[in-house]
PDB file of all heavy atoms in Angstrom:
ATOM      1  N   ARG A  10     -13.913 -20.944  -4.464  1.00 97.00           N
ATOM      2  CA  ARG A  10     -13.519 -19.703  -3.789  1.00 97.00           C
ATOM      3  C   ARG A  10     -12.322 -19.942  -2.872  1.00 97.00           C
ATOM      4  O   ARG A  10     -11.338 -19.199  -2.885  1.00 97.00           O
ATOM      5  CB  ARG A  10     -14.700 -19.168  -2.976  1.00 97.00           C
ATOM      6  CG  ARG A  10     -14.407 -17.855  -2.305  1.00 97.00           C
ATOM      7  CD  ARG A  10     -15.535 -17.493  -1.334  1.00 97.00           C
ATOM      8  NE  ARG A  10     -15.065 -16.544  -0.348  1.00 97.00           N
ATOM      9  CZ  ARG A  10     -15.192 -15.235  -0.453  1.00 97.00           C
ATOM     10  NH1 ARG A  10     -15.774 -14.727  -1.507  1.00 97.00           N
ATOM     11  NH2 ARG A  10     -14.727 -14.438   0.483  1.00 97.00           N
ATOM     12  N   HIS A  46     -17.103 -15.580  -8.084  1.00 97.00           N
ATOM     13  CA  HIS A  46     -16.888 -15.738  -6.648  1.00 97.00           C
ATOM     14  C   HIS A  46     -16.452 -14.446  -5.949  1.00 97.00           C
ATOM     15  O   HIS A  46     -16.609 -14.320  -4.743  1.00 97.00           O
ATOM     16  CB  HIS A  46     -15.852 -16.830  -6.390  1.00 97.00           C
ATOM     17  CG  HIS A  46     -16.356 -18.211  -6.684  1.00 97.00           C
ATOM     18  ND1 HIS A  46     -17.119 -18.933  -5.790  1.00 97.00           N
ATOM     19  CD2 HIS A  46     -16.250 -18.986  -7.791  1.00 97.00           C
ATOM     20  CE1 HIS A  46     -17.439 -20.108  -6.322  1.00 97.00           C
ATOM     21  NE2 HIS A  46     -16.917 -20.158  -7.533  1.00 97.00           N
ATOM     22  N   PHE A  47     -15.882 -13.516  -6.720  1.00 97.00           N
ATOM     23  CA  PHE A  47     -15.385 -12.293  -6.077  1.00 97.00           C
ATOM     24  C   PHE A  47     -15.897 -11.019  -6.744  1.00 97.00           C
ATOM     25  O   PHE A  47     -15.646  -9.933  -6.251  1.00 97.00           O
ATOM     26  CB  PHE A  47     -13.857 -12.277  -6.062  1.00 97.00           C
ATOM     27  CG  PHE A  47     -13.245 -13.430  -5.326  1.00 97.00           C
ATOM     28  CD1 PHE A  47     -12.772 -14.536  -6.018  1.00 97.00           C
ATOM     29  CD2 PHE A  47     -13.169 -13.432  -3.944  1.00 97.00           C
ATOM     30  CE1 PHE A  47     -12.212 -15.622  -5.345  1.00 97.00           C
ATOM     31  CE2 PHE A  47     -12.609 -14.499  -3.267  1.00 97.00           C
ATOM     32  CZ  PHE A  47     -12.136 -15.606  -3.966  1.00 97.00           C
ATOM     33  N   GLY A  48     -16.589 -11.172  -7.868  1.00 97.00           N
ATOM     34  CA  GLY A  48     -17.160 -10.002  -8.520  1.00 97.00           C
ATOM     35  C   GLY A  48     -16.162  -9.276  -9.403  1.00 97.00           C
ATOM     36  O   GLY A  48     -16.487  -8.865 -10.507  1.00 97.00           O
ATOM     37  N   SER A  49     -14.970  -9.120  -8.899  1.00 97.00           N
ATOM     38  CA  SER A  49     -13.937  -8.438  -9.663  1.00 97.00           C
ATOM     39  C   SER A  49     -12.590  -8.749  -9.030  1.00 97.00           C
ATOM     40  O   SER A  49     -12.515  -9.440  -8.009  1.00 97.00           O
ATOM     41  CB  SER A  49     -14.177  -6.924  -9.684  1.00 97.00           C
ATOM     42  OG  SER A  49     -13.967  -6.402  -8.391  1.00 97.00           O
ATOM     43  N   MET A  50     -11.561  -8.235  -9.617  1.00 97.00           N
ATOM     44  CA  MET A  50     -10.238  -8.421  -9.046  1.00 97.00           C
ATOM     45  C   MET A  50     -10.126  -7.662  -7.717  1.00 97.00           C
ATOM     46  O   MET A  50      -9.484  -8.131  -6.776  1.00 97.00           O
ATOM     47  CB  MET A  50      -9.187  -7.927 -10.042  1.00 97.00           C
ATOM     48  CG  MET A  50      -7.921  -8.759 -10.080  1.00 97.00           C
ATOM     49  SD  MET A  50      -8.203 -10.523 -10.195  1.00 97.00           S
ATOM     50  CE  MET A  50      -6.510 -11.107 -10.081  1.00 97.00           C
ATOM     51  N   ASP A  51     -10.753  -6.511  -7.668  1.00 96.00           N
ATOM     52  CA  ASP A  51     -10.805  -5.772  -6.406  1.00 96.00           C
ATOM     53  C   ASP A  51     -11.463  -6.611  -5.314  1.00 96.00           C
ATOM     54  O   ASP A  51     -11.028  -6.593  -4.149  1.00 96.00           O
ATOM     55  CB  ASP A  51     -11.584  -4.468  -6.590  1.00 96.00           C
ATOM     56  CG  ASP A  51     -10.657  -3.276  -6.786  1.00 96.00           C
ATOM     57  OD1 ASP A  51      -9.465  -3.516  -7.053  1.00 96.00           O
ATOM     58  OD2 ASP A  51     -11.125  -2.141  -6.651  1.00 96.00           O
ATOM     59  N   GLY A  52     -12.513  -7.324  -5.705  1.00 96.00           N
ATOM     60  CA  GLY A  52     -13.193  -8.189  -4.737  1.00 96.00           C
ATOM     61  C   GLY A  52     -12.259  -9.242  -4.172  1.00 96.00           C
ATOM     62  O   GLY A  52     -12.319  -9.570  -2.984  1.00 96.00           O
ATOM     63  N   LEU A  53     -11.386  -9.752  -5.035  1.00 97.00           N
ATOM     64  CA  LEU A  53     -10.413 -10.729  -4.553  1.00 97.00           C
ATOM     65  C   LEU A  53      -9.473 -10.106  -3.530  1.00 97.00           C
ATOM     66  O   LEU A  53      -9.192 -10.697  -2.489  1.00 97.00           O
ATOM     67  CB  LEU A  53      -9.594 -11.275  -5.728  1.00 97.00           C
ATOM     68  CG  LEU A  53      -8.488 -12.247  -5.308  1.00 97.00           C
ATOM     69  CD1 LEU A  53      -9.012 -13.660  -5.201  1.00 97.00           C
ATOM     70  CD2 LEU A  53      -7.302 -12.182  -6.246  1.00 97.00           C
ATOM     71  N   TRP A  54      -8.999  -8.897  -3.816  1.00 96.00           N
ATOM     72  CA  TRP A  54      -8.103  -8.230  -2.879  1.00 96.00           C
ATOM     73  C   TRP A  54      -8.808  -7.961  -1.555  1.00 96.00           C
ATOM     74  O   TRP A  54      -8.214  -8.114  -0.479  1.00 96.00           O
ATOM     75  CB  TRP A  54      -7.575  -6.930  -3.484  1.00 96.00           C
ATOM     76  CG  TRP A  54      -6.593  -7.159  -4.600  1.00 96.00           C
ATOM     77  CD1 TRP A  54      -6.802  -6.984  -5.936  1.00 96.00           C
ATOM     78  CD2 TRP A  54      -5.243  -7.631  -4.462  1.00 96.00           C
ATOM     79  NE1 TRP A  54      -5.673  -7.307  -6.643  1.00 96.00           N
ATOM     80  CE2 TRP A  54      -4.704  -7.706  -5.765  1.00 96.00           C
ATOM     81  CE3 TRP A  54      -4.445  -7.983  -3.382  1.00 96.00           C
ATOM     82  CZ2 TRP A  54      -3.395  -8.125  -6.000  1.00 96.00           C
ATOM     83  CZ3 TRP A  54      -3.142  -8.403  -3.626  1.00 96.00           C
ATOM     84  CH2 TRP A  54      -2.634  -8.471  -4.915  1.00 96.00           C
ATOM     85  N   THR A  55     -10.063  -7.551  -1.654  1.00 95.00           N
ATOM     86  CA  THR A  55     -10.824  -7.326  -0.428  1.00 95.00           C
ATOM     87  C   THR A  55     -10.919  -8.615   0.384  1.00 95.00           C
ATOM     88  O   THR A  55     -10.744  -8.610   1.605  1.00 95.00           O
ATOM     89  CB  THR A  55     -12.233  -6.820  -0.776  1.00 95.00           C
ATOM     90  OG1 THR A  55     -12.129  -5.580  -1.459  1.00 95.00           O
ATOM     91  CG2 THR A  55     -13.059  -6.622   0.498  1.00 95.00           C
ATOM     92  N   ALA A  56     -11.178  -9.716  -0.309  1.00 95.00           N
ATOM     93  CA  ALA A  56     -11.259 -11.005   0.375  1.00 95.00           C
ATOM     94  C   ALA A  56      -9.916 -11.357   1.020  1.00 95.00           C
ATOM     95  O   ALA A  56      -9.857 -11.914   2.121  1.00 95.00           O
ATOM     96  CB  ALA A  56     -11.685 -12.094  -0.599  1.00 95.00           C
ATOM     97  N   LEU A  57      -8.829 -11.009   0.337  1.00 95.00           N
ATOM     98  CA  LEU A  57      -7.503 -11.267   0.895  1.00 95.00           C
ATOM     99  C   LEU A  57      -7.288 -10.443   2.166  1.00 95.00           C
ATOM    100  O   LEU A  57      -6.753 -10.942   3.160  1.00 95.00           O
ATOM    101  CB  LEU A  57      -6.428 -10.929  -0.139  1.00 95.00           C
ATOM    102  CG  LEU A  57      -5.981 -12.087  -1.039  1.00 95.00           C
ATOM    103  CD1 LEU A  57      -4.960 -11.622  -2.049  1.00 95.00           C
ATOM    104  CD2 LEU A  57      -5.409 -13.220  -0.196  1.00 95.00           C
TER     105      LEU A  57
END
Side-chain angles (χ1 to χ4, degrees):
Chain A
R10 183 189 159 94
H46 289 278
F47 300 99
S49 69
M50 217 48 184
D51 261 15
L53 176 86
W54 289 106
T55 298
L57 268 178

